[in-house]
Amino acid sequence: MVAPAVPPLAESPEQGPQPATGWVPTWALGRAVLLTGLLLIAGVLLGRVDLIVLAAPFAIGTAYALRRRPAALPQVWISADEGHLVEGGELTGTVSVGNPDVLDYDVAVVRSRVSPWLRVERATIAGAVAASGAPSAVVPSVADRPFVTAVPTDAAVDLELAGTALRWGRHPVGPAGARVAAAQGLLVSRAVVTEPARVRVYPRTEPFDAVEAMPRAAGLVGAHHSRRPGEGGELAGVRVFAPGDRLRRIDWRVSLRARQLHVAATLSDRDAEVVVLLDVLAEAGRSGGVSGTASVLDTTVRAAAAIAEHYLHRGDRVSMLEYGPAARRLRPATGRRQYLTVLEWLLDVRAEPSPHEPYDQVFGPQLLSADALVVVLTPLLDERSAPMLARLARSGRFVVAVDTLPADLAPPKDRGWAEVAYRLWRLDRDTMIGQLREHGVPVVRWAGAGSLDQVLRDVARLATAPRVGAR
């Protein structure tokens, strides 16, 4: 009888040939030795030759099986799909068991753990057994069930896992363990465990689009109209011809009327900087994966990926910040390479409550440009989130707060005053949002495409409006 396949996780993985001390006898060997001994003793004491003859096959068979005892432990390794796997995509992975010995393994029992966010729907045992003529065994089972196969000499058998990635993040496939039986089931190896392989599942970006309105364009070239004169497509007026003006800019109708050359003046087209700030001080809601309910962190990560993809596709510079104890930051850049870097950066987003104020660590004057549009993704659950937004607005930055709290967040089911307390908390939160709007911080709920259109128009209009007292 073979012992269970999965060993304790504290054991370290072993690779390569191992000494024979890694093999232990099974109950079958113990029964064979015990039965042989009892028959021999009974035959000698009772003087019965038939008992000795009956014990001979057991003794000869056991000796013959132990004569070909293996010397090397099995090898186990895991390989996972390294492609661009997105939520809801097809997952592929392989758990391989190798036989470095010169003798065949009679039975190999393989078992692997898989993250609950990786739903394995099909497991196929293939490899050396299938190559030798035996068909592959398709087992409609989850990955953490044991799988049994034979492993020939100097070969490997693959357990191919196929399923669906349910949620973004770095999810482990493994650890995987294997135990093999040899010498016709009389010896079994100790458990061999391999380290898990990490599968990167990127967030699925919701279709997002926003208007071209930008409060202030500060780059050199781009798609946004700035207020500075230059070679753009936005007409700024007509002025007198000056040395250096291009002839194609001459407005002949105005020039003939004024009897002096005039040219059409345009505004330059420049790029803008967008800072996506993620509030990770609190988490709420229950994550149901790509097709289920979304928690605060799910909405935050997917919205950040969609916003970054939109503005990077337009040629703008995008940077990422975390409002939390880790204070992680991704420097502003443009292009597809920055988009892939953003996706990789988002995989490590975690909700980390902290009693310390992270403001001084994150929002130094060297980190946030005065011309940047700051999109803050926050559930407004922590008491420090609202003051942070107010400080950003008072510092003269263009701030847009995106509410990531699930609209269907259920109240607590505890008896007593829990429901009343939940309603009071909701009223207090609505009051806080109203106060933020009075202080010039627009708060809008994330709803995918077009969520920020109106608020971006308002922010751009306020940025271009003349200031009170300006001359």
Side-chain angles (χ1 to χ4, degrees):
M1 181 177 180
V2 181
V6 173
L9 297 182
E11 294 189 31
S12 60
E14 299 289 338
Q15 300 290 345
Q18 300 292 333
T21 55
W23 296 83
V24 295
T26 63
W27 288 106
L29 177 58
R31 288 193 298 267
V33 173
L34 179 61
L35 182 59
T36 302
L38 290 177
L39 290 175
L40 290 175
I41 293 174
V44 172
L45 294 179
L46 299 177
R48 296 181 57 178
V49 181
D50 56 338
L51 294 180
I52 297 177
V53 174
L54 186 62
F58 292 98
I60 295 174
T62 303
Y64 178 79
L66 293 179
R67 184 181 63 86
R68 295 175 56 84
R69 55 188 304 175
L73 291 176
Q75 296 178 338
V76 183
W77 61 92
I78 301 176
S79 60
D81 185 12
E82 295 292 338
H84 193 82
L85 184 60
V86 186
E87 289 178 305
E90 296 183 358
L91 165 73
T92 58
T94 304
V95 180
S96 303
V97 182
N99 181 2
D101 208 292
V102 295
L103 302 176
D104 295 345
Y105 292 153
D106 299 331
V107 175
V109 183
V110 188
R111 191 171 180 178
S112 175
R113 292 183 178 178
V114 178
S115 169
W117 296 115
L118 301 176
R119 183 175 61 196
V120 177
E121 302 166 347
R122 185 170 61 91
T124 304
I125 297 179
V129 176
S132 62
S136 301
V138 179
V139 186
S141 171
V142 293
D144 58 352
R145 288 186 56 182
F147 297 89
V148 181
T149 183
V151 185
T153 302
D154 196 20
V157 174
D158 297 334
L159 173 61
E160 299 175 355
L161 307 177
T164 306
L166 301 179
R167 189 173 184 259
W168 58 272
R170 303 181 191 272
H171 304 300
V173 177
R179 300 186 76 168
V180 299
Q184 298 183 4
L186 299 182
L187 296 177
V188 64
S189 70
R190 65 178 178 82
V192 177
V193 185
T194 185
E195 293 292 334
R198 296 286 176 175
V199 177
R200 295 175 295 181
V201 181
Y202 297 104
R204 187 173 67 177
T205 57
E206 303 176 5
F208 173 72
D209 194 11
V211 296
E212 296 184 8
M214 188 64 63
R216 188 176 297 167
L220 297 178
V221 293
H224 299 287
H225 303 311
S226 71
R227 291 180 292 176
R228 299 181 181 180
E231 295 295 329
E234 185 73 10
L235 183 63
V238 180
R239 58 176 176 81
V240 178
F241 180 88
D245 288 338
R246 297 186 179 182
L247 297 179
R248 62 184 181 88
R249 293 284 187 180
I250 297 177
D251 190 329
W252 294 105
R253 181 177 301 178
V254 177
S255 300
L256 292 175
R257 187 186 310 118
R259 297 182 179 276
Q260 188 178 5
L261 286 179
H262 283 70
V263 294
T266 57
L267 299 177
S268 61
D269 295 335
R270 304 194 173 202
D271 66 346
E273 180 178 345
V274 179
V275 179
V276 182
L277 172 61
L278 283 67
D279 183 357
V280 295
L281 290 177
E283 167 72 316
R286 184 178 181 86
S287 177
V290 66
S291 58
T293 59
S295 65
V296 167
L297 211 59
D298 290 340
T299 304
T300 299
V301 170
R302 292 166 185 164
I307 294 173
E309 180 183 20
H310 170 75
Y311 285 109
L312 287 172
H313 181 71
R314 299 182 60 83
D316 296 323
R317 288 170 288 121
V318 175
S319 63
M320 312 292 288
L321 282 176
E322 265 191 9
Y323 183 67
R328 296 193 307 134
R329 175 176 180 257
L330 180 63
R331 294 183 178 181
T334 60
R336 177 171 175 78
R337 182 176 181 180
Q338 177 70 357
Y339 175 62
L340 298 177
T341 306
V342 166
L343 292 180
E344 194 76 20
W345 188 87
L346 289 174
L347 295 183
D348 297 321
V349 174
R350 298 289 182 271
E352 300 180 78
S354 172
H356 305 291
E357 174 59 57
Y359 181 82
D360 295 334
Q361 304 175 13
V362 179
F363 302 109
Q366 74 281 3
L367 296 182
L368 288 179
S369 172
D371 297 327
L373 170 65
V374 183
V375 181
V376 183
L377 302 170
T378 173
L380 293 174
L381 293 176
D382 195 278
E383 59 183 8
R384 292 164 291 182
S385 299
M388 176 266 295
L389 291 170
R391 285 193 293 265
L392 284 176
R394 285 198 300 266
S395 65
R397 287 164 174 85
F398 306 103
V399 183
V400 175
V402 179
D403 186 5
T404 57
L405 189 70
D408 55 351
L409 185 64
K413 298 181 180 180
D414 298 338
R415 296 180 179 179
W417 297 95
E419 185 176 355
V420 177
Y422 177 77
R423 292 168 59 186
L424 290 176
W425 171 78
R426 277 286 188 180
L427 292 174
D428 181 68
R429 187 173 182 274
D430 294 341
T431 303
M432 178 181 59
I433 292 176
Q435 293 175 349
L436 286 174
R437 288 170 176 165
E438 291 178 358
H439 283 79
V441 180
V443 181
V444 59
R445 180 175 295 278
W446 175 256
S451 299
L452 309 182
D453 282 358
Q454 185 59 43
V455 68
L456 287 178
R457 290 191 187 97
D458 295 340
V459 171
R461 189 182 304 114
L462 292 174
T464 55
R467 297 182 179 179
V468 178
R471 295 183 179 179

